[in-house]
Amino acid sequence: MALNATFRVNTDTLKTVSDSIRVELGQIRRIFSELNTTVIRTEYYWSSEAADKIRHTYAGFQDRINKAAAGIEDQVVDLGAIAGIYEKTESDNTQKPMSLSDDVIF
């Protein structure tokens, strides 16, 4: 059984959400950068096998953190692209009837 669904998307909402996520992602990246700096700086005052293990473990998460951030950034870009497509399609659909001949009788 096939279901049909129609979605009406407010492009301003898409752009607002996209911008908001972009700002939040920037803040998250800044926080992780500060955390990374803090972890690296522990080398100056904490020297032990446990310290090395913690720094190594944290370093192992960097790739996952970067991939997650890149994935979120891709979603933000996609939201912006979707908003652009909706706006262009809506504009094209409103302009198309105006270009049709008005002397056609059905």
Side-chain angles (χ1 to χ4, degrees):
M1 179 166 113
L3 298 175
N4 293 327
T6 302
F7 295 98
R8 177 74 178 132
V9 178
N10 182 330
T11 56
D12 291 334
T13 302
L14 276 178
K15 288 178 182 179
T16 301
V17 168
S18 175
D19 291 342
S20 174
I21 294 171
R22 184 174 281 119
V23 168
E24 292 289 329
L25 182 59
Q27 292 173 346
I28 290 169
R29 283 185 168 151
R30 182 185 50 75
I31 290 167
F32 272 107
S33 177
E34 291 172 4
L35 180 60
N36 190 46
T37 301
T38 301
V39 170
I40 290 170
R41 286 182 180 166
T42 63
E43 292 178 358
Y44 297 115
Y45 58 85
W46 188 21
S47 178
S48 70
E49 191 175 315
D52 292 341
K53 179 145 176 79
I54 288 173
R55 284 189 289 269
H56 178 73
T57 301
Y58 177 78
F61 286 115
Q62 286 298 310
D63 189 44
R64 289 171 60 185
I65 292 167
N66 292 336
K67 283 182 181 178
I72 294 169
E73 182 66 32
D74 289 345
Q75 297 298 319
V76 169
V77 170
D78 290 347
L79 279 177
I82 289 168
I85 291 168
Y86 277 127
E87 286 178 337
K88 182 179 180 335
T89 303
E90 189 171 300
S91 173
D92 290 350
N93 286 341
T94 22
Q95 291 176 5
K96 187 110 178 160
M98 293 179 183
S99 67
L100 297 175
S101 177
D102 61 352
D103 61 351
V104 176
I105 300 173
F106 289 98

XYZ file of all heavy atoms in Angstrom:
837
model
N 0.849 -1.166 0.000
C 0.000 0.000 0.000
C 0.901 1.238 0.000
O 1.752 1.410 0.849
C -0.879 -0.031 1.241
C -1.780 1.152 1.355
S -3.045 0.861 2.587
C -2.573 2.029 3.808
N 0.707 2.084 -0.975
C 1.520 3.291 -1.097
C 0.837 4.453 -0.380
O -0.363 4.641 -0.482
C 1.714 3.639 -2.557
N 1.623 5.182 0.345
C 1.119 6.366 1.034
C 1.642 7.607 0.333
O 2.814 7.674 -0.027
C 1.575 6.374 2.489
C 1.089 5.224 3.362
C 1.741 5.320 4.736
C -0.421 5.296 3.516
N 0.780 8.556 0.136
C 1.185 9.816 -0.459
C 1.238 10.879 0.622
O 0.332 10.978 1.442
C 0.206 10.254 -1.558
C 0.254 9.330 -2.749
O 1.309 8.791 -3.057
N -0.874 9.147 -3.414
N 2.283 11.654 0.608
C 2.419 12.716 1.603
C 2.883 13.981 0.905
O 3.657 13.936 -0.042
C 3.422 12.322 2.674
N 2.383 15.086 1.365
C 2.790 16.377 0.848
C 3.379 17.189 1.994
O 2.782 17.266 3.067
C 1.584 17.140 0.253
O 1.009 16.331 -0.774
C 2.009 18.467 -0.319
N 4.542 17.742 1.752
C 5.199 18.560 2.767
C 5.275 19.990 2.264
O 5.666 20.241 1.134
C 6.621 18.063 3.042
C 6.667 16.704 3.652
C 6.886 15.577 2.876
C 6.499 16.549 5.018
C 6.935 14.330 3.436
C 6.538 15.288 5.599
C 6.759 14.179 4.805
N 4.907 20.894 3.102
C 5.041 22.320 2.783
C 6.122 22.856 3.706
O 6.005 22.808 4.931
C 3.723 23.052 3.030
C 3.788 24.531 2.794
C 3.829 24.830 1.306
N 3.854 26.275 1.147
C 4.692 26.898 0.359
N 5.558 26.218 -0.354
N 4.668 28.195 0.247
N 7.184 23.339 3.120
C 8.334 23.776 3.892
C 8.482 25.286 3.768
O 8.456 25.836 2.671
C 9.621 23.084 3.391
C 10.830 23.574 4.152
C 9.485 21.586 3.507
N 8.620 25.922 4.907
C 8.872 27.353 4.934
C 10.380 27.555 4.754
O 11.164 27.150 5.609
C 8.393 27.933 6.267
C 8.583 29.417 6.351
O 9.489 29.979 5.751
N 7.733 30.062 7.123
N 10.771 28.157 3.640
C 12.203 28.301 3.351
C 12.901 29.211 4.361
O 14.074 29.014 4.649
C 12.430 28.831 1.927
O 11.731 30.053 1.753
C 11.956 27.822 0.897
N 12.179 30.174 4.896
C 12.785 31.021 5.928
C 13.141 30.200 7.166
O 14.193 30.410 7.777
C 11.839 32.166 6.323
C 11.674 33.183 5.207
O 12.603 33.307 4.376
O 10.629 33.853 5.162
N 12.278 29.247 7.508
C 12.561 28.372 8.647
C 13.779 27.508 8.362
O 14.646 27.339 9.224
C 11.342 27.482 8.963
O 10.215 28.311 9.239
C 11.616 26.576 10.140
N 13.855 26.965 7.147
C 15.022 26.157 6.783
C 16.314 26.970 6.902
O 17.309 26.499 7.447
C 14.901 25.642 5.350
C 14.113 24.382 5.118
C 14.062 24.047 3.625
C 14.684 23.219 5.881
N 16.280 28.184 6.395
C 17.479 29.036 6.458
C 17.824 29.397 7.900
O 18.996 29.385 8.282
C 17.263 30.304 5.636
C 17.261 30.059 4.153
C 16.999 31.344 3.404
C 16.948 31.116 1.918
N 16.664 32.348 1.187
N 16.807 29.699 8.696
C 17.035 30.051 10.099
C 17.637 28.873 10.861
O 18.607 29.037 11.613
C 15.715 30.491 10.765
O 15.194 31.619 10.068
C 15.921 30.843 12.222
N 17.076 27.690 10.655
C 17.590 26.493 11.322
C 19.010 26.202 10.853
O 19.898 25.897 11.657
C 16.656 25.283 11.075
C 17.311 23.989 11.515
C 15.338 25.481 11.780
N 19.242 26.324 9.568
C 20.569 26.087 9.011
C 21.599 27.039 9.620
O 22.678 26.625 10.043
C 20.522 26.245 7.489
O 21.800 26.128 6.930
N 21.252 28.314 9.682
C 22.161 29.311 10.272
C 22.398 29.033 11.753
O 23.519 29.157 12.244
C 21.603 30.725 10.085
C 21.627 31.168 8.637
O 22.352 30.561 7.828
O 20.905 32.141 8.310
N 21.341 28.656 12.453
C 21.449 28.364 13.880
C 22.374 27.169 14.125
O 23.227 27.200 15.020
C 20.059 28.085 14.454
O 20.150 27.675 15.784
N 22.211 26.129 13.327
C 23.067 24.949 13.468
C 24.513 25.304 13.147
O 25.436 24.839 13.820
C 22.563 23.801 12.576
C 21.203 23.308 13.069
C 23.558 22.646 12.547
C 20.523 22.338 12.129
N 24.719 26.127 12.132
C 26.072 26.546 11.759
C 26.744 27.283 12.922
O 27.913 27.037 13.242
C 26.039 27.420 10.516
C 27.421 27.806 10.014
C 27.368 28.559 8.698
N 27.173 27.594 7.614
C 26.132 27.572 6.791
N 25.182 28.472 6.901
N 26.032 26.671 5.855
N 26.008 28.155 13.598
C 26.543 28.888 14.747
C 26.869 27.916 15.883
O 27.948 27.978 16.480
C 25.550 29.978 15.225
C 25.946 30.535 16.578
C 25.458 31.091 14.192
N 25.927 27.013 16.175
C 26.148 26.023 17.241
C 27.350 25.139 16.936
O 28.159 24.841 17.824
C 24.902 25.155 17.436
C 23.720 25.886 18.002
C 23.887 26.260 19.460
O 24.573 25.528 20.197
O 23.331 27.291 19.857
N 27.487 24.727 15.684
C 28.607 23.884 15.298
C 29.930 24.636 15.472
O 30.915 24.058 15.929
C 28.445 23.400 13.858
C 29.532 22.471 13.335
C 29.636 21.214 14.197
C 29.264 22.104 11.882
N 29.937 25.908 15.144
C 31.133 26.716 15.355
C 31.515 26.774 16.826
O 32.695 26.677 17.185
N 30.518 26.914 17.672
C 30.773 26.936 19.117
C 31.288 25.586 19.604
O 32.212 25.528 20.425
C 29.505 27.342 19.871
C 29.110 28.779 19.641
C 27.765 29.124 20.260
O 26.996 28.247 20.638
N 27.466 30.414 20.351
N 30.713 24.513 19.103
C 31.163 23.174 19.491
C 32.605 22.957 19.045
O 33.427 22.433 19.803
C 30.224 22.099 18.908
C 28.872 22.153 19.609
C 30.842 20.704 19.011
C 27.786 21.319 18.947
N 32.920 23.370 17.828
C 34.303 23.225 17.347
C 35.270 24.038 18.211
O 36.375 23.582 18.499
C 34.393 23.656 15.892
C 33.854 22.618 14.943
C 34.065 23.018 13.513
N 33.804 21.896 12.632
C 33.368 22.019 11.407
N 33.159 23.209 10.901
N 33.167 20.956 10.662
N 34.867 25.222 18.606
C 35.710 26.053 19.460
C 35.946 25.382 20.811
O 37.070 25.333 21.313
C 35.078 27.430 19.658
C 35.922 28.384 20.499
C 35.211 29.698 20.788
N 33.863 29.563 21.306
C 33.552 29.205 22.557
N 34.484 28.922 23.429
N 32.295 29.111 22.937
N 34.892 24.818 21.371
C 35.009 24.125 22.666
C 35.954 22.932 22.551
O 36.822 22.723 23.407
C 33.619 23.692 23.182
C 32.822 24.924 23.602
C 33.744 22.699 24.329
C 31.345 24.657 23.838
N 35.802 22.136 21.481
C 36.696 20.993 21.307
C 38.134 21.439 21.061
O 39.080 20.774 21.490
C 36.209 20.076 20.191
C 35.243 19.031 20.671
C 33.903 19.123 20.373
C 35.682 17.968 21.442
C 33.008 18.169 20.835
C 34.801 17.008 21.908
C 33.455 17.107 21.602
N 38.313 22.547 20.394
C 39.663 23.085 20.192
C 40.292 23.471 21.526
O 41.467 23.176 21.787
C 39.609 24.296 19.259
O 40.883 24.856 19.120
N 39.507 24.120 22.377
C 40.000 24.487 23.707
C 40.298 23.241 24.538
O 41.312 23.184 25.247
C 38.980 25.365 24.426
C 38.834 26.745 23.834
C 37.688 27.538 24.431
O 37.024 27.042 25.374
O 37.445 28.662 23.947
N 39.439 22.234 24.434
C 39.661 20.984 25.155
C 40.940 20.309 24.669
O 41.743 19.811 25.469
C 38.464 20.054 24.987
C 38.543 18.696 25.673
C 38.692 18.848 27.184
C 37.306 17.877 25.331
N 41.124 20.302 23.369
C 42.326 19.713 22.784
C 43.576 20.422 23.304
O 44.554 19.772 23.688
C 42.257 19.785 21.258
C 43.344 18.987 20.602
O 43.600 17.848 20.979
N 43.990 19.567 19.614
N 43.543 21.729 23.339
C 44.669 22.507 23.863
C 44.933 22.160 25.317
O 46.083 21.977 25.734
C 44.394 24.015 23.716
O 44.197 24.309 22.330
C 45.530 24.852 24.253
N 43.877 22.038 26.087
C 44.023 21.699 27.508
C 44.645 20.320 27.684
O 45.548 20.142 28.510
C 42.651 21.753 28.210
O 42.110 23.068 28.061
C 42.768 21.416 29.683
N 44.174 19.349 26.908
C 44.716 17.988 27.011
C 46.192 17.976 26.620
O 47.020 17.359 27.298
C 43.897 16.997 26.150
C 44.595 15.652 26.046
C 42.502 16.824 26.718
N 46.536 18.667 25.558
C 47.940 18.716 25.120
C 48.813 19.373 26.184
O 49.925 18.919 26.463
C 48.066 19.443 23.767
C 47.464 18.581 22.654
C 49.522 19.774 23.462
C 47.322 19.284 21.329
N 48.320 20.423 26.803
C 49.100 21.142 27.812
C 49.359 20.313 29.078
O 50.253 20.640 29.844
C 48.410 22.447 28.196
C 48.527 23.498 27.128
C 47.886 24.779 27.575
N 48.010 25.792 26.535
C 47.329 26.913 26.516
N 46.459 27.177 27.480
N 47.498 27.768 25.543
N 48.576 19.245 29.300
C 48.821 18.418 30.481
C 50.192 17.752 30.426
O 50.709 17.334 31.460
C 47.738 17.331 30.651
O 47.761 16.437 29.530
C 46.358 17.942 30.817
N 50.784 17.680 29.235
C 52.122 17.103 29.111
C 53.151 17.877 29.928
O 54.155 17.321 30.349
C 52.562 17.072 27.645
C 51.783 16.108 26.786
C 52.217 16.145 25.327
O 53.096 16.956 24.968
O 51.665 15.350 24.543
N 52.903 19.170 30.143
C 53.868 20.017 30.852
C 53.874 19.784 32.360
O 54.856 20.074 33.017
C 53.602 21.492 30.559
C 53.769 21.847 29.105
C 52.678 22.275 28.351
C 54.996 21.728 28.480
C 52.818 22.587 27.010
C 55.148 22.036 27.135
C 54.055 22.463 26.403
O 54.198 22.768 25.080
N 52.768 19.299 32.894
C 52.714 19.148 34.348
C 52.266 17.767 34.820
O 52.261 17.483 36.003
C 51.809 20.217 34.984
C 50.388 20.231 34.474
C 49.423 19.394 35.008
C 50.012 21.093 33.444
C 48.123 19.402 34.551
C 48.714 21.115 32.976
C 47.764 20.266 33.533
O 46.486 20.288 33.064
N 51.867 16.891 33.892
C 51.400 15.566 34.301
C 52.138 14.531 33.480
O 51.890 14.366 32.296
C 49.898 15.466 34.094
C 49.264 14.231 34.633
C 49.750 13.391 35.602
C 48.007 13.686 34.235
N 48.886 12.375 35.838
C 47.782 12.531 35.015
C 47.044 14.072 33.318
C 46.646 11.745 34.889
C 45.900 13.312 33.197
C 45.710 12.154 33.972
N 53.039 13.857 34.108
C 53.847 12.868 33.421
C 53.712 11.524 34.139
O 54.218 11.357 35.256
C 55.313 13.316 33.402
O 56.113 12.345 32.771
N 53.006 10.620 33.494
C 52.850 9.276 34.051
C 52.266 8.382 32.965
O 51.854 8.844 31.903
C 51.928 9.292 35.272
O 50.587 9.554 34.869
N 52.231 7.118 33.260
C 51.654 6.165 32.322
C 50.157 6.442 32.146
O 49.620 6.368 31.038
C 51.882 4.745 32.842
C 51.555 3.669 31.830
C 51.902 2.283 32.345
O 52.991 2.104 32.901
O 51.052 1.390 32.174
N 49.487 6.774 33.230
C 48.057 7.091 33.174
C 47.806 8.334 32.324
O 46.866 8.371 31.520
C 47.499 7.301 34.574
N 48.651 9.337 32.489
C 48.505 10.570 31.713
C 48.677 10.291 30.228
O 47.904 10.779 29.391
C 49.514 11.606 32.182
N 49.693 9.495 29.908
C 49.918 9.141 28.502
C 48.733 8.372 27.930
O 48.332 8.593 26.797
C 51.192 8.304 28.365
C 52.453 9.096 28.667
O 52.398 10.346 28.624
O 53.491 8.458 28.953
N 48.167 7.480 28.740
C 47.005 6.697 28.279
C 45.796 7.605 28.030
O 45.096 7.456 27.029
C 46.655 5.618 29.297
C 45.452 4.791 28.893
C 45.607 3.368 29.317
C 44.383 2.546 29.000
N 44.285 2.131 27.641
N 45.562 8.535 28.934
C 44.429 9.453 28.768
C 44.615 10.319 27.523
O 43.690 10.489 26.728
C 44.230 10.318 30.027
C 43.658 9.429 31.144
C 43.326 11.512 29.755
C 43.570 10.097 32.482
N 45.810 10.862 27.329
C 46.072 11.690 26.141
C 45.933 10.861 24.862
O 45.368 11.327 23.871
C 47.448 12.336 26.245
C 47.483 13.512 27.206
C 48.794 14.273 27.123
N 49.907 13.540 27.688
C 50.305 13.605 28.954
N 49.667 14.401 29.793
N 51.329 12.906 29.372
N 46.417 9.631 24.906
C 46.319 8.747 23.744
C 44.850 8.412 23.445
O 44.428 8.409 22.288
C 47.134 7.467 23.986
C 47.053 6.492 22.856
N 47.700 6.691 21.651
C 46.375 5.318 22.728
C 47.428 5.689 20.848
N 46.629 4.839 21.480
N 44.100 8.123 24.479
C 42.673 7.818 24.312
C 41.936 9.021 23.723
O 41.139 8.875 22.789
C 42.038 7.410 25.660
O 42.723 6.266 26.156
C 40.558 7.094 25.505
N 42.232 10.203 24.274
C 41.589 11.416 23.750
C 41.962 11.630 22.286
O 41.105 11.938 21.458
C 41.978 12.640 24.583
C 41.381 13.903 24.027
C 40.048 14.214 24.255
C 42.129 14.772 23.229
C 39.481 15.348 23.715
C 41.567 15.909 22.686
C 40.242 16.188 22.938
O 39.683 17.308 22.386
N 43.223 11.451 21.954
C 43.680 11.627 20.568
C 42.949 10.655 19.640
O 42.653 10.994 18.484
C 45.183 11.433 20.477
N 42.631 9.459 20.155
C 41.903 8.482 19.352
C 40.490 8.920 19.004
O 39.922 8.471 18.013
N 39.928 9.805 19.800
C 38.582 10.308 19.533
C 38.566 11.476 18.543
O 37.513 11.832 18.029
C 37.898 10.762 20.830
C 37.442 9.636 21.697
C 38.011 9.433 22.948
C 36.452 8.757 21.278
C 37.603 8.386 23.760
C 36.030 7.715 22.079
C 36.607 7.523 23.318
N 39.699 12.067 18.271
C 39.746 13.240 17.397
C 39.161 12.966 16.019
O 38.403 13.775 15.487
C 41.191 13.752 17.259
C 41.708 14.457 18.478
C 40.888 15.693 18.781
O 40.636 16.523 17.926
N 40.458 15.803 20.019
N 39.499 11.820 15.443
C 38.990 11.502 14.109
C 37.470 11.376 14.122
O 36.786 11.890 13.232
C 39.635 10.208 13.596
C 39.320 9.943 12.140
O 39.401 10.892 11.341
O 38.977 8.790 11.800
N 36.931 10.716 15.148
C 35.477 10.573 15.253
C 34.797 11.921 15.440
O 33.739 12.189 14.859
C 35.128 9.629 16.403
C 35.492 8.185 16.095
C 35.354 7.272 17.275
N 33.990 7.244 17.791
C 33.662 6.581 18.885
N 34.563 5.904 19.560
N 32.415 6.602 19.312
N 35.400 12.773 16.253
C 34.846 14.108 16.497
C 34.846 14.921 15.206
O 33.842 15.555 14.850
C 35.631 14.831 17.608
C 35.401 14.135 18.950
C 35.263 16.309 17.685
C 36.362 14.558 20.046
N 35.953 14.870 14.483
C 36.059 15.623 13.223
C 35.073 15.106 12.172
O 34.468 15.895 11.437
C 37.491 15.572 12.693
C 38.448 16.343 13.565
O 38.065 17.251 14.296
N 39.716 15.971 13.520
N 34.910 13.784 12.104
C 33.954 13.213 11.146
C 32.523 13.613 11.500
O 31.726 13.921 10.612
C 34.078 11.689 11.108
C 35.271 11.203 10.333
C 35.321 9.683 10.291
C 36.549 9.212 9.535
N 36.664 7.750 9.519
N 32.196 13.597 12.791
C 30.858 13.996 13.218
C 30.595 15.458 12.863
O 29.527 15.799 12.339
C 30.688 13.771 14.717
N 31.563 16.320 13.123
C 31.408 17.744 12.803
C 31.266 17.949 11.299
O 30.434 18.746 10.850
C 32.593 18.541 13.346
N 32.047 17.213 10.519
C 31.947 17.330 9.060
C 30.580 16.852 8.573
O 29.988 17.452 7.658
C 33.066 16.530 8.394
N 30.062 15.790 9.184
C 28.737 15.294 8.811
C 27.645 16.310 9.115
O 26.725 16.512 8.315
N 27.760 16.955 10.261
C 26.787 17.999 10.618
C 26.900 19.166 9.649
O 25.889 19.701 9.190
C 26.988 18.455 12.075
C 26.649 17.301 13.035
C 26.136 19.688 12.389
C 27.067 17.550 14.469
N 28.122 19.541 9.313
C 28.329 20.647 8.354
C 27.703 20.304 7.005
O 27.089 21.151 6.362
C 29.818 20.934 8.194
C 30.123 22.081 7.261
C 29.650 23.432 7.774
O 29.644 23.645 9.003
O 29.296 24.292 6.942
N 27.828 19.048 6.574
C 27.198 18.616 5.326
C 25.679 18.779 5.394
O 25.046 19.204 4.419
C 27.537 17.157 5.016
C 28.990 16.958 4.589
O 29.660 17.957 4.262
O 29.441 15.789 4.603
N 25.095 18.444 6.537
C 23.648 18.586 6.706
C 23.231 20.051 6.629
O 22.195 20.380 6.043
C 23.201 17.977 8.041
C 23.432 16.489 8.153
C 22.648 15.700 7.124
O 21.486 16.007 6.852
N 23.265 14.693 6.536
N 24.041 20.929 7.202
C 23.745 22.361 7.163
C 23.774 22.862 5.714
O 22.884 23.601 5.282
C 24.755 23.145 8.037
C 24.639 24.640 7.810
C 24.561 22.803 9.505
N 24.788 22.436 4.979
C 24.890 22.822 3.561
C 23.680 22.295 2.791
O 23.089 23.003 1.973
C 26.214 22.305 2.954
C 26.229 22.464 1.448
C 27.401 23.024 3.579
N 23.294 21.049 3.076
C 22.134 20.460 2.404
C 20.848 21.224 2.712
O 20.023 21.431 1.818
C 21.972 18.991 2.793
C 23.055 18.095 2.214
O 23.797 18.557 1.316
O 23.168 16.937 2.665
N 20.673 21.638 3.963
C 19.476 22.422 4.317
C 19.416 23.713 3.507
O 18.356 24.100 3.009
C 19.465 22.755 5.812
C 18.976 21.680 6.763
C 19.111 22.164 8.210
C 17.538 21.302 6.483
N 20.553 24.372 3.379
C 20.603 25.599 2.577
C 20.276 25.327 1.119
O 19.558 26.097 0.475
N 20.799 24.233 0.591
C 20.523 23.869 -0.805
C 19.050 23.538 -1.000
O 18.438 23.934 -1.999
C 21.396 22.685 -1.211
N 18.473 22.818 -0.051
C 17.051 22.476 -0.133
C 16.210 23.746 -0.135
O 15.268 23.878 -0.923
C 16.654 21.543 1.032
C 17.271 20.163 0.832
C 15.140 21.432 1.163
C 17.183 19.261 2.048
N 16.546 24.692 0.723
C 15.803 25.962 0.764
C 15.894 26.669 -0.583
O 14.894 27.192 -1.093
C 16.348 26.854 1.879
N 17.080 26.664 -1.173
C 17.253 27.295 -2.491
C 16.426 26.613 -3.568
O 15.820 27.273 -4.421
N 16.382 25.299 -3.540
C 15.594 24.544 -4.523
C 14.111 24.838 -4.358
O 13.395 25.063 -5.342
C 15.873 23.028 -4.391
C 17.291 22.712 -4.849
C 14.856 22.210 -5.178
C 17.769 21.317 -4.497
N 13.630 24.851 -3.109
C 12.218 25.178 -2.865
C 11.886 26.571 -3.376
O 10.862 26.780 -4.021
C 11.887 25.088 -1.371
C 11.582 23.706 -0.874
C 12.248 23.185 0.221
C 10.601 22.926 -1.467
C 11.968 21.911 0.695
C 10.319 21.650 -1.001
C 11.001 21.160 0.074
O 10.720 19.908 0.548
N 12.753 27.544 -3.083
C 12.489 28.918 -3.528
C 12.463 29.015 -5.043
O 11.590 29.672 -5.610
C 13.546 29.868 -2.953
C 13.355 30.148 -1.485
C 14.442 31.058 -0.925
O 15.542 31.120 -1.508
O 14.171 31.693 0.108
N 13.425 28.380 -5.711
C 13.468 28.430 -7.182
C 12.246 27.752 -7.784
O 11.619 28.290 -8.699
C 14.735 27.769 -7.705
C 14.842 27.845 -9.219
C 16.103 27.219 -9.726
C 16.246 27.280 -11.228
N 15.075 27.379 -12.042
N 11.887 26.585 -7.252
C 10.731 25.857 -7.774
C 9.447 26.644 -7.560
O 8.605 26.737 -8.464
C 10.625 24.471 -7.103
O 11.841 23.768 -7.314
C 9.469 23.675 -7.660
N 9.302 27.231 -6.387
C 8.103 28.028 -6.116
C 8.052 29.248 -7.035
O 6.996 29.588 -7.572
C 8.100 28.465 -4.650
C 6.789 29.102 -4.239
C 6.725 29.320 -2.738
O 6.810 28.330 -2.000
O 6.602 30.488 -2.342
N 9.183 29.878 -7.235
C 9.234 31.039 -8.121
C 8.890 30.631 -9.558
O 8.112 31.316 -10.234
C 10.627 31.664 -8.066
O 10.754 32.678 -9.020
N 9.482 29.537 -10.018
C 9.196 29.050 -11.372
C 7.721 28.711 -11.534
O 7.113 29.013 -12.565
C 10.033 27.803 -11.693
C 11.506 28.110 -11.857
O 11.879 29.309 -11.908
O 12.307 27.142 -11.910
N 7.132 28.091 -10.502
C 5.726 27.693 -10.579
C 4.780 28.888 -10.545
O 3.675 28.814 -11.068
C 5.382 26.710 -9.457
C 5.962 25.342 -9.712
O 6.316 25.003 -10.834
N 6.078 24.547 -8.662
N 5.173 29.975 -9.912
C 4.307 31.152 -9.897
C 4.462 31.957 -11.179
O 3.508 32.581 -11.630
C 4.613 32.074 -8.697
O 5.890 31.879 -8.208
C 3.599 31.962 -7.623
N 5.620 31.922 -11.779
C 5.850 32.677 -13.008
C 5.312 31.948 -14.233
O 4.910 32.572 -15.204
C 7.339 32.961 -13.183
C 7.863 33.947 -12.175
C 9.372 34.152 -12.293
O 9.999 33.619 -13.182
N 9.919 34.926 -11.372
N 5.291 30.639 -14.206
C 4.849 29.843 -15.354
C 3.412 30.174 -15.774
O 3.157 30.405 -16.955
C 4.977 28.350 -15.035
C 4.700 27.459 -16.184
C 5.978 26.836 -16.606
C 5.730 25.890 -17.740
N 6.946 25.628 -18.454
N 2.445 30.201 -14.860
C 1.074 30.528 -15.291
C 0.964 31.921 -15.912
O 0.132 32.145 -16.791
C 0.262 30.453 -13.998
C 1.032 29.566 -13.105
C 2.471 29.808 -13.464
N 1.799 32.848 -15.496
C 1.742 34.200 -16.057
C 2.188 34.218 -17.504
O 1.810 35.108 -18.269
C 2.590 35.154 -15.215
C 2.054 35.379 -13.843
S 3.143 36.486 -12.948
C 2.349 36.493 -11.371
N 3.005 33.252 -17.896
C 3.508 33.226 -19.266
C 2.566 32.495 -20.217
O 2.759 32.525 -21.425
C 4.887 32.559 -19.311
O 4.778 31.200 -18.995
N 1.520 31.854 -19.675
C 0.571 31.138 -20.513
C -0.395 32.114 -21.180
O -0.717 33.164 -20.619
C -0.204 30.122 -19.667
C 0.617 28.994 -19.031
C -0.283 28.162 -18.142
C 1.273 28.147 -20.091
N -0.835 31.743 -22.335
C -1.772 32.576 -23.074
C -3.109 32.645 -22.322
O -3.600 31.643 -21.819
C -1.975 32.002 -24.472
O -2.931 32.743 -25.172
N -3.701 33.824 -22.272
C -4.960 33.969 -21.548
C -6.175 33.918 -22.470
O -7.290 34.129 -22.045
C -4.974 35.265 -20.721
C -4.825 36.493 -21.598
O -4.571 36.350 -22.804
O -4.957 37.603 -21.044
N -5.958 33.601 -23.763
C -7.080 33.541 -24.681
C -7.468 32.093 -25.035
O -8.088 31.844 -26.039
C -6.793 34.338 -25.950
C -5.590 33.789 -26.701
O -4.881 32.909 -26.160
O -5.351 34.242 -27.832
N -7.117 31.161 -24.167
C -7.444 29.759 -24.413
C -8.809 29.462 -23.790
O -9.088 29.834 -22.658
C -6.369 28.824 -23.773
C -6.753 27.378 -23.930
C -5.012 29.111 -24.389
N -9.649 28.810 -24.571
C -10.994 28.465 -24.092
C -11.049 26.940 -23.950
O -10.680 26.203 -24.863
C -12.081 28.927 -25.086
C -11.993 30.439 -25.251
C -13.453 28.493 -24.605
C -12.893 30.985 -26.317
N -11.542 26.490 -22.811
C -11.675 25.048 -22.570
C -13.089 24.616 -22.781
O -14.037 25.202 -22.489
C -11.257 24.699 -21.121
C -9.788 24.838 -20.914
C -9.247 25.978 -20.338
C -8.912 23.813 -21.279
C -7.906 26.106 -20.128
C -7.555 23.941 -21.075
C -7.036 25.084 -20.495
